[in-house]
Amino acid sequence: MSQDVLNPARVQEIHQEAARRRTFAVISHPDAGKSTLTEALALHAKVIGTAGASSGKANRKETVSDWMQMEKDRGISISSAALQFSYRDSVINLLDTPGHADFSEDTYRVLAAVDCAVMLVDAAKGLETQTMKLFEVCKQRNLPIITVINKWDRPGLDALALMDEITERTGLQPMPLTWAVGISGDFRGVWDLRNDRFARFQRNNAGASIALTEYFTPEEASDSQGVDWSNAVDEAGLVIESNLEFDVDAFHAGTATPILFSSAALNFGVKELLDVLVDFAPHAAPRPDVEGSPRPVESAFSGFVFKVQAGMNKAHRDHVAFIRVCSGVFERGMVVTQTRTGKSFATKYAQQVFGREREVIDEAYPGDVVGLVNASTLRVGDSLFLEGAVEYPAIPLFAPEHFQVARSKDPSKFKQFRRGIEQLEHEGVIQVLRSDLRGDQSPVLAAVGPMQFEVVEDRMEHDFNAPLRLERLPYSMARISTPEAMPALANVVGAEVLLRSDGEYLALFNDIWALRRIEKNHPGLTLVPIGTHN
Ligand code: GDP
């Protein structure tokens, strides 16, 4: 049936479904507890029976969000996908993000596909580098942020000091919804400000089962917790006084952040987070297209690719493109159009993918994520639609800081080599820079973090049967330039200009001194910093 024929019942259904969706990602510094929280959320929603043993990565078996061998070897999470579950009347889509800074470009793409972010802070460490970087990205995207202070069961910083740090470093006003009773390391529970009650903290079998929280009245809490209770009330009072009431508009506008305290490893505070998502987080709403005009959620199906992942399942060697649905209803089997090429694409193999878990998906609504299998023609940033052409804004590329020349180890495998590099570029695994001078036998690979090169090496050898040799280049920074810069800097030491496939000319420099010298010697050249920093 044509989705352009707006049947009022269908319109209402799409509106209702979009209004139920909460699509978010967790941003944090490695080790703050993102995987643990993800498992706890999933457990809470009863999607998985028992959470993986969360006592540390080394002895953790398989958590729901790890899948590649490299991830397992290194104990990091490289790939991203979505976990969907229902909670109360809502449908929660949790998009997984890699924890390691080398893959921040992946995280950036995921942040383009969510409506809200949860900033997970280790109570002992406060705002760490990676958290701040990702926060900046959220700020650029105007994403509302919920802050969760995690690991309160372990000795850490003072709650008020953490609030000061948040205000000073992010500019966000903290709006506590729960407040820790007991100092960090002596977690007694939280004051649930919304319901004015005390939720008692209980150690619960290392995250293996849901903690059933017991609640008490303020009087009971005062009797049982004494000074810890009155301190909590005083402290939260100080923060609230300076920020007035909980203001959902300020949260959505990205000027204030709800605050929660948790112990993800012990499953405490997780239900509160889900409740805050359902009660306050923005739902899937009309998404602006490249011209800035929002496409109503009830329009015919449309979405964009925010992630392409191959080799997730070694047995199948498949290739999955993850789409965020922006409007209409996705129905498996529908034939959609790819805006960039005008070509049609059959969506016969649509799945919901999270870690090793896969399920066929038959229908999806705005806010949902669909994994399209065997989608090798789809690239990151591609828009798709059923009817009524639409192009969503491109996902900007990061400023690369690491550069290596790639050559095929075996010259007779040049065809495989070229195909592999192209494919990895389309998946967004690496940026590829070229110049006539270097020729297409030896493109320059540009990365935000050096571990991206390891992924390229591994994938080229195992997925494309084209092992490569990499040779490091001395450059460490890039500027956007113009075609004229190419000949102008051709013989200049410490600099080079190459063309990236998005059409940008990137001028590379050894270091800031090389850049300054060239700016001085070639005052006519355009050298613009790249907007999205890493
Ligand atoms: P990620 O790198 O952010 O995904 O962090 P993980 O979820 O892997 O957690 C890092 C370590 O912190 C693991 O050893 C977890 O068991 C531990 N951890 C996570 N949350 C908590 C918590 O609330 N309390 C305590 N004590 N440990 C935690």
Side-chain angles (χ1 to χ4, degrees):
M1 189 184 78
S2 163
Q3 289 192 6
D4 257 3
V5 180
L6 293 182
N7 154 348
R10 190 66 159 169
V11 170
Q12 197 191 5
E13 175 200 323
I14 298 173
H15 271 278
Q16 275 171 355
E17 292 297 332
R20 291 171 66 204
R21 285 341 191 239
R22 302 289 183 278
T23 303
F24 77 106
V26 180
I27 57 166
S28 65
H29 194 83
D31 269 355
K34 185 163 62 66
S35 313
T36 311
L37 177 69
T38 304
E39 285 169 40
L41 285 166
L43 172 68
H44 219 96
K46 301 194 179 68
V47 214
I48 48 175
T50 48
S54 301
S55 49
K57 296 220 151 143
N59 56 14
R60 184 157 70 198
K61 292 201 189 83
E62 290 176 349
T63 70
V64 280
S65 60
D66 285 356
W67 63 70
M68 279 170 70
Q69 188 59 38
M70 259 184 71
E71 293 178 307
K72 280 206 280 168
D73 294 347
R74 292 178 171 273
I76 56 164
S77 192
I78 296 173
S79 336
S80 312
L83 172 68
Q84 184 179 65
F85 55 88
S86 358
Y87 180 73
R88 293 178 26 201
D89 268 347
S90 296
V91 177
I92 314 273
N93 291 306
L94 166 52
L95 274 58
D96 194 22
T97 53
H100 198 284
D102 279 15
F103 300 101
S104 20
E105 214 171 3
D106 272 0
T107 305
Y108 188 86
R109 295 184 196 119
V110 171
L111 292 176
V114 299
D115 301 317
C116 167
V118 167
M119 181 164 82
L120 190 66
V121 178
D122 183 329
K125 308 229 171 96
L127 297 174
E128 298 174 84
T129 20
Q130 183 68 356
T131 323
M132 283 309 294
K133 279 184 188 172
L134 294 170
F135 163 75
E136 290 297 337
V137 173
C138 293
K139 202 166 120 187
Q140 277 176 26
R141 304 202 64 85
N142 272 332
L143 275 182
I145 296 173
I146 299 170
T147 303
V148 176
I149 310 289
N150 190 34
K151 303 196 187 181
W152 200 257
D153 57 298
R154 288 224 295 235
L157 301 167
D158 172 69
L160 285 175
L162 280 162
M163 296 306 114
D164 283 347
E165 190 184 6
I166 291 168
T167 317
E168 275 162 29
R169 297 188 56 201
T170 66
L172 296 173
Q173 289 294 326
M175 297 188 291
L177 288 175
T178 69
W179 193 264
V181 178
I183 57 167
S184 51
D186 183 23
F187 201 4
R188 303 299 186 83
V190 293
W191 176 23
D192 168 0
L193 279 81
R194 286 208 280 162
N195 301 299
D196 191 18
R197 59 188 180 177
F198 171 58
R200 191 169 70 181
F201 172 64
Q202 234 169 318
R203 291 190 171 270
N204 212 290
N205 197 15
S209 59
I210 297 169
L212 286 178
T213 308
E214 283 184 272
Y215 299 100
F216 300 89
T217 63
E219 293 72 35
E220 289 166 334
S222 175
D223 288 347
S224 64
Q225 306 303 319
V227 69
D228 284 327
W229 175 258
S230 50
N231 281 347
V233 173
D234 288 350
E235 286 179 357
L238 281 175
V239 181
I240 297 166
E241 239 169 56
S242 53
N243 300 329
L244 307 168
E245 305 251 295
F246 180 80
D247 179 349
V248 77
D249 295 332
F251 163 45
H252 287 193
T255 57
T257 177
I259 302 281
L260 296 167
F261 287 79
S262 76
S263 169
L266 300 164
N267 264 314
F268 189 80
V270 177
K271 177 185 176 299
E272 286 70 15
L273 173 57
L274 285 169
D275 286 332
V276 169
L277 281 162
V278 170
D279 293 336
F280 302 121
H283 58 73
R287 197 169 188 92
D289 65 10
V290 74
E291 309 289 343
S293 62
R295 177 165 169 117
V297 286
E298 71 272 17
S299 310
F301 163 78
S302 71
F304 67 92
V305 180
F306 65 93
K307 170 92 192 149
V308 173
Q309 179 91 44
M312 284 171 38
N313 183 339
K314 285 286 172 207
H316 295 100
R317 295 217 163 268
D318 61 1
H319 196 113
V320 184
F322 294 98
I323 321 280
R324 144 100 195 204
V325 179
C326 300
S327 68
V329 186
F330 170 86
E331 289 161 354
R332 188 165 64 86
M334 62 174 32
V335 177
V336 297
T337 306
Q338 191 178 354
T339 309
R340 177 173 51 83
T341 59
K343 289 197 178 133
S344 52
F345 184 90
T347 61
K348 192 166 160 204
Y349 300 104
Q351 294 182 335
Q352 189 183 325
V353 185
F354 193 79
R356 283 171 221 290
E357 310 290 322
R358 288 177 177 221
E359 265 174 52
V360 170
I361 204 165
D362 287 316
E363 257 194 351
Y365 291 90
D368 290 345
V369 169
V370 177
L372 293 179
V373 185
N374 293 333
S376 52
T377 55
L378 297 183
R379 299 183 185 176
V380 167
D382 271 354
S383 302
L384 297 171
F385 62 91
L386 181 70
E387 281 154 25
V390 60
E391 185 180 352
Y392 290 106
I395 304 176
L397 294 168
F398 263 53
E401 288 182 2
H402 304 270
F403 305 89
Q404 300 198 2
V405 179
R407 290 188 186 85
S408 177
K409 253 189 194 156
D410 176 352
S412 72
K413 289 196 171 150
F414 180 63
K415 250 168 90 180
Q416 288 97 311
F417 169 82
R418 193 165 54 190
R419 196 169 64 85
I421 295 286
E422 247 176 52
Q423 182 59 43
L424 296 180
E425 182 182 19
H426 294 165
E427 285 177 28
V429 172
I430 200 94
Q431 298 178 26
V432 183
L433 314 178
R434 298 181 172 87
S435 70
D436 287 346
L437 219 57
R438 290 192 177 270
D440 65 346
Q441 308 258 352
S442 49
V444 172
L445 308 185
V448 174
M451 263 155 63
Q452 287 177 253
F453 295 118
E454 293 179 38
V455 176
V456 171
E457 273 184 303
D458 186 82
R459 295 276 311 275
M460 286 298 281
E461 182 163 349
H462 297 108
D463 294 357
F464 300 100
N465 190 23
L468 45 67
R469 265 187 305 125
L470 290 172
E471 181 199 324
R472 190 194 293 229
L473 292 172
Y475 309 123
S476 71
M477 55 195 312
R479 290 284 184 271
I480 300 280
S481 194
T482 52
E484 299 76 56
M486 221 174 213
L489 299 184
N491 295 311
V492 173
V493 178
E496 180 173 352
V497 182
L498 294 121
L499 178 61
R500 194 166 63 182
S501 43
D502 61 352
E504 298 283 14
Y505 285 83
L506 255 55
L508 313 185
F509 303 95
N510 279 4
D511 49 34
I512 186 80
W513 307 111
L515 168 64
R516 292 210 178 132
R517 197 181 64 237
I518 287 156
E519 278 179 328
K520 197 163 147 235
N521 296 343
H522 298 78
L525 284 187
T526 313
L527 299 168
V528 184
I530 301 178
T532 308
H533 343 262
N534 40 19

